[in-house]
Amino acid sequence: MSHVSKIFDENFIEYASYVIRDRAIPDLLDGFKPVQRRIIHTLLEMDDGRYHKVANVVGATMKYHPHGDASIYEALVNLTNCNLFIEGQGNFGNFLTGDGAAAGRYIECRLLPLAKKVLYSPEITEYIDSYDGRNREPVVFPAKLPVVVVQGTSGIAVGMKTDILPHNLLEVIDAQEAILRGEEIALYPDFPGGGIVDVSAYDDGCGFVSVRARLDVSDPKKIIITELPYGVTSEQMIDSIEDAAKKGKLHIASINDFTADTANIEINLQRNTYTKDMVDALYAYTKCENKISVNPIVIVDDLPKVMPITEMVRFHARHLIDTLTQELHIERGHLVDKLHARTLERIFIEERIYKRIENKNTQEAVNKAVITGFKPFAAELVRELDDDDVERLLKIPIRRISLFDIEKNRSDIEEINAAIAACDEHLAHIVEYALSYLEDLKASIDQDLWKRKTEIGSFGITDAKQIAVRNLELRYDESTGYIGTNMKTGEPLIKVSSYDKIFYMKKDGSYRVINVSDKEFIGTEGIFYINYAEKELLQNVVFTMIFREKESKFYFINRFLITSFITGKLYSILPQGNYKLVKLAIFPNAVITAKYKPGCGYRVMEETFRFADFPVRKTPQTNGIKIITKQLASLTLRQIKDSATSEEAEPTLFDGEEGDKK
């Protein structure tokens, strides 16, 4: 059994690691999941400035992605709709209406210039064999921006889930610049559909945000939804509004959807209902307001890690410095190679070294003659002459030698030296160079396209309970034992909303707190007291009960409050044992009159007690205080209103035994 468990454990860990790293969680370096990275790599290979059929791109990507064309197509459509690295032509769907994209054979795409500027640097990119070993694919792109922060992402892996909201590209670049200048930053989400977002609990991408639709309330009889909350389509919005209307929470006459390029949902209100009365209800009962939780998990050094948004941007600010430094060193190396080649070419032709090989009969003699010819000019060379340099010089055609332009050569060398000096200057002031790179990048971006769309506001989640209207009639039918808001028979009790909790006490002394429902069975004993289950209300209600021990026939009194309870749990006010409830009242103050049976030898035939003489306890679960030990003829309660008068009022229970009467 232990061997089998070990096999399961090893296979599960291997599978979980694969799903986490190679399927669901993006890498922090380039912000891509593997399928997205393979799509970008394929488009870089196919890039010729023209559009490519999406079906062709999907097919070409299958060389690298072993999970079929459906996942590639879906990922490509999503990447295109981000408008960051891929430009689409045709119907790529509509995130406002929820309509899907057209088939891959009908739509086209191509890389945007920003993709090459931010991602493409093959000389510092690590490549590995594809899944079948026939091709090479990048491990990760050396991205110069925190792509995952800009695009956002979501993914479910084994035992973990990542959710990162999209942010504004220009604001992210500004944040990188601020970090390079040593300044503090704060970044907040920006959604393509606009709307309003409350970021008070965002917690740098580790908390949650509240998002709201933007409402046009200029017409007192009509509300127009002009911007949808993130993740909500117009169809979902309409369904939520219609559902709320069916439940009586909204009073609308009609709803029309004119959403196309922008959201436009028109809500017409019923007669005697006005816009100002419906706004809070829309936020409380429909998808006009949502709460979105976030969990920023990314792959860092092959391991999943929770990383706040600003930490991701700080990482990429450092990574930008490293990437630009590597690129400058590589560029400088290419310039040095070019300078070396130009210098060799000038000396080879200007000093007529090529003449030395005219009478040489072997390749070795030719190479030696060239090397010997360069010895007097060693001080002018960038580095020592090697066999590759000799081979390259010997391939110069005669026509080029005869037309050699010494002035142009010197001009080229000056340009190369200037470029090398510029590289050295950039390397010496790499932070300033990184800032200028980001400024150039920002200048190449469409400012109108990336203007902030979502307004940052401050609002708490609208509590449906707080704005709920108590317009439902709660009825109780003692003959059937049912209570609820969807009943035609029974006694009307109180007006409630569907969000209320109700406290009730029955005539047998049992009590319970329940949620308001259409219909629920509670028993046929009858209801003595009912109220909203709010502690502020119940803490002001003093219950007084008189109960009898059946064996001794002694009577006890207990006065108590009920302030704690568990919803749905049935309680009893009677103590444990053989007791019977005699009277139950909620009088603030009252007089108890006890008349005793004649013929029993009692000298005192009548006694009175006042409620005020007995303490009020914080719980009903007590044994009570003994007040009567004689045989009763009758027991009555009279509520005291003032010193001059007394009046019996409010419900009171009697057990009907021993002549008890009111």
Side-chain angles (χ1 to χ4, degrees), residues 423-491:
C423 284
D424 292 337
E425 177 71 14
H426 294 329
L427 287 167
H429 303 87
I430 189 63
V431 174
E432 289 79 2
Y433 176 65
L435 287 169
S436 66
Y437 169 83
L438 291 174
E439 282 297 320
D440 291 341
L441 195 65
K442 194 158 56 174
S444 67
I445 294 170
D446 188 337
Q447 304 291 311
D448 291 333
L449 177 64
W450 286 100
K451 187 184 298 182
R452 170 167 275 277
K453 299 177 179 65
T454 304
E455 177 187 344
I456 297 175
S458 179
F459 52 86
I461 290 288
T462 304
D463 190 348
K465 297 179 183 179
Q466 292 180 354
I467 70 162
V469 178
R470 286 173 170 161
N471 58 358
L472 302 175
E473 191 168 63
L474 186 70
R475 288 176 173 267
Y476 170 65
D477 189 339
E478 190 171 344
S479 63
T480 63
Y482 282 95
I483 190 172
T485 58
N486 189 25
M487 294 179 57
K488 304 300 182 184
T489 61
E491 177 189 357

Side-chain angles (χ1 to χ4, degrees), residues 310-482:
T310 55
E311 189 177 338
M312 293 185 193
V313 181
R314 291 181 190 281
F315 172 89
H316 268 276
R318 297 190 298 269
H319 179 65
L320 174 63
I321 297 292
D322 295 340
T323 302
L324 292 177
T325 300
Q326 291 182 62
E327 289 183 346
L328 285 170
H329 279 300
I330 290 171
E331 182 183 354
R332 190 182 189 283
H334 291 327
L335 289 170
V336 168
D337 290 341
K338 194 174 180 181
L339 177 62
H340 181 60
R342 291 287 190 274
T343 303
L344 290 178
E345 188 177 290
R346 177 185 62 79
I347 296 172
F348 184 70
I349 297 174
E350 190 177 29
E351 302 300 332
R352 307 176 76 83
I353 294 175
Y354 61 87
K355 289 288 187 180
R356 295 171 174 263
I357 66 175
E358 291 179 351
N359 58 352
K360 299 299 186 287
N361 297 323
T362 64
Q363 185 64 42
E364 183 180 352
V366 169
N367 291 351
K368 186 176 180 181
V370 173
I371 293 172
T372 303
F374 271 95
K375 285 185 177 180
F377 310 101
E380 299 181 40
L381 300 182
V382 176
R383 61 170 182 261
E384 290 185 6
L385 194 70
D386 59 24
D387 292 339
D388 291 335
D389 295 330
V390 173
E391 183 70 20
R392 189 167 56 252
L393 289 171
L394 293 175
K395 289 181 179 179
I396 299 175
I398 296 297
R399 179 178 177 81
R400 185 174 163 194
I401 293 175
S402 62
L403 296 176
F404 183 72
D405 187 341
I406 188 65
E407 292 301 325
K408 185 178 184 308
N409 181 272
R410 287 175 178 169
S411 175
D412 290 344
I413 288 175
E414 288 177 2
E415 290 180 4
I416 295 170
N417 280 324
I420 292 174
C423 284
D424 292 337
E425 177 71 14
H426 294 329
L427 287 167
H429 303 87
I430 189 63
V431 174
E432 289 79 2
Y433 176 65
L435 287 169
S436 66
Y437 169 83
L438 291 174
E439 282 297 320
D440 291 341
L441 195 65
K442 194 158 56 174
S444 67
I445 294 170
D446 188 337
Q447 304 291 311
D448 291 333
L449 177 64
W450 286 100
K451 187 184 298 182
R452 170 167 275 277
K453 299 177 179 65
T454 304
E455 177 187 344
I456 297 175
S458 179
F459 52 86
I461 290 288
T462 304
D463 190 348
K465 297 179 183 179
Q466 292 180 354
I467 70 162
V469 178
R470 286 173 170 161
N471 58 358
L472 302 175
E473 191 168 63
L474 186 70
R475 288 176 173 267
Y476 170 65
D477 189 339
E478 190 171 344
S479 63
T480 63
Y482 282 95

Side-chain angles (χ1 to χ4, degrees), residues 126-423:
E126 180 185 355
Y127 290 86
I128 58 172
D129 288 338
S130 61
Y131 70 95
D132 61 1
R134 291 188 176 92
N135 300 280
R136 303 278 289 173
E137 63 175 313
V139 175
V140 65
F141 289 116
K144 299 181 179 71
L145 291 177
V147 175
V148 73
V149 176
V150 178
Q151 289 190 154
T153 191
S154 65
I156 301 175
V158 179
M160 66 182 63
K161 182 176 185 289
T162 183
D163 281 296
I164 301 174
L165 299 177
H167 295 71
N168 185 274
L169 174 59
L170 297 175
E171 292 179 4
V172 171
I173 295 175
D174 288 340
Q176 271 190 285
E177 291 179 339
I179 289 171
L180 292 173
R181 290 192 293 264
E183 301 169 1
E184 293 298 318
I185 64 166
L187 275 174
Y188 302 113
D190 185 25
F191 307 122
I196 308 168
V197 60
D198 184 342
V199 296
S200 57
Y202 188 47
D203 192 20
D204 201 10
C206 299
F208 67 88
V209 297
S210 303
V211 292
R212 277 185 173 182
R214 189 178 296 279
L215 307 180
D216 180 353
V217 294
S218 56
D219 190 323
K221 293 295 293 177
K222 180 169 62 179
I223 298 174
I224 300 176
I225 301 175
T226 58
E227 293 177 4
L228 295 171
Y230 181 64
V232 178
T233 66
S234 59
E235 183 177 356
Q236 292 171 335
M237 178 64 74
I238 290 173
D239 287 345
S240 72
I241 294 172
E242 290 178 340
D243 182 62
K246 287 177 183 177
K247 294 178 179 178
K249 297 170 183 175
L250 294 176
H251 305 295
I252 65 172
S254 64
I255 183 168
N256 300 301
D257 186 10
F258 303 111
T259 301
D261 294 335
T262 59
N264 190 338
I265 299 175
E266 183 183 276
I267 305 169
N268 297 297
L269 305 180
Q270 290 180 359
R271 185 176 299 177
N272 298 325
T273 304
Y274 298 94
T275 296
K276 60 183 177 63
D277 303 320
M278 285 293 103
V279 171
D280 285 344
L282 278 172
Y283 287 137
Y285 302 126
T286 74
K287 290 186 177 294
C288 282
E289 182 174 313
N290 282 335
K291 175 181 171 183
I292 303 175
S293 297
V294 286
N295 188 32
I297 297 179
V298 289
I299 301 297
V300 183
D301 297 329
D302 288 333
L303 294 173
K305 179 181 179 181
V306 176
M307 184 175 283
I309 296 300
T310 55
E311 189 177 338
M312 293 185 193
V313 181
R314 291 181 190 281
F315 172 89
H316 268 276
R318 297 190 298 269
H319 179 65
L320 174 63
I321 297 292
D322 295 340
T323 302
L324 292 177
T325 300
Q326 291 182 62
E327 289 183 346
L328 285 170
H329 279 300
I330 290 171
E331 182 183 354
R332 190 182 189 283
H334 291 327
L335 289 170
V336 168
D337 290 341
K338 194 174 180 181
L339 177 62
H340 181 60
R342 291 287 190 274
T343 303
L344 290 178
E345 188 177 290
R346 177 185 62 79
I347 296 172
F348 184 70
I349 297 174
E350 190 177 29
E351 302 300 332
R352 307 176 76 83
I353 294 175
Y354 61 87
K355 289 288 187 180
R356 295 171 174 263
I357 66 175
E358 291 179 351
N359 58 352
K360 299 299 186 287
N361 297 323
T362 64
Q363 185 64 42
E364 183 180 352
V366 169
N367 291 351
K368 186 176 180 181
V370 173
I371 293 172
T372 303
F374 271 95
K375 285 185 177 180
F377 310 101
E380 299 181 40
L381 300 182
V382 176
R383 61 170 182 261
E384 290 185 6
L385 194 70
D386 59 24
D387 292 339
D388 291 335
D389 295 330
V390 173
E391 183 70 20
R392 189 167 56 252
L393 289 171
L394 293 175
K395 289 181 179 179
I396 299 175
I398 296 297
R399 179 178 177 81
R400 185 174 163 194
I401 293 175
S402 62
L403 296 176
F404 183 72
D405 187 341
I406 188 65
E407 292 301 325
K408 185 178 184 308
N409 181 272
R410 287 175 178 169
S411 175
D412 290 344
I413 288 175
E414 288 177 2
E415 290 180 4
I416 295 170
N417 280 324
I420 292 174
C423 284

